[in-house]
Amino acid sequence: MPMQLWGIIFIVVFILYLIGVIIEFKRAQFLLFLAGGIIAGMTQLLYTIASFDASQYQINTIRYLFIAILHLVIAGMGVYA
C-alpha cells in the first residue's frame, strides 16, 4: 500500500475517535471507539509486519506493535463499556 493510503486510514481513525469523544450518545461512542480501534489496530499490525522485514532496527517494530496493542485495547474498552 502506498504511504498516502496509510495516512488516509489513520486520518479516518482519528475522525472516528474525535466524533466518539464529542458525541453525546453513549452507545454511538462505544461503537465509534470499537470501529476506530479495530481499524487502527489491524492497520498498525500490518504496518508492524511490513516494518519487521524492511527496518534495520527492531525497536521500530516493537514500537509499532505497542501502538497496535493500544488501539486494540481502545476497541476492547469500547466493547466492555
Side-chain angles (χ1 to χ4, degrees):
M1 287 194 306
M3 288 302 274
Q4 290 83 8
L5 185 58
W6 292 102
I8 290 170
I9 290 172
F10 283 116
I11 288 171
V12 168
V13 169
F14 164 74
I15 291 170
L16 289 174
Y17 284 158
L18 183 65
I19 293 171
V21 169
I22 293 173
I23 199 165
E24 294 292 327
F25 303 108
K26 293 290 184 192
R27 187 112 168 135
Q29 283 180 332
F30 301 141
L31 290 175
L32 288 170
F33 282 129
L34 175 66
I38 289 175
I39 292 169
M42 293 300 142
T43 306
Q44 193 69 40
L45 282 173
L46 288 173
Y47 197 75
T48 301
I49 293 168
S51 71
F52 179 75
D53 291 337
S55 179
Q56 184 177 6
Y57 304 106
Q58 295 305 316
I59 192 71
N60 292 336
T61 304
I62 294 169
R63 179 177 59 196
Y64 297 147
L65 181 63
F66 284 144
I67 294 170
I69 292 170
L70 173 69
H71 286 295
L72 292 175
V73 166
I74 291 171
M77 293 304 287
V79 171
Y80 176 72

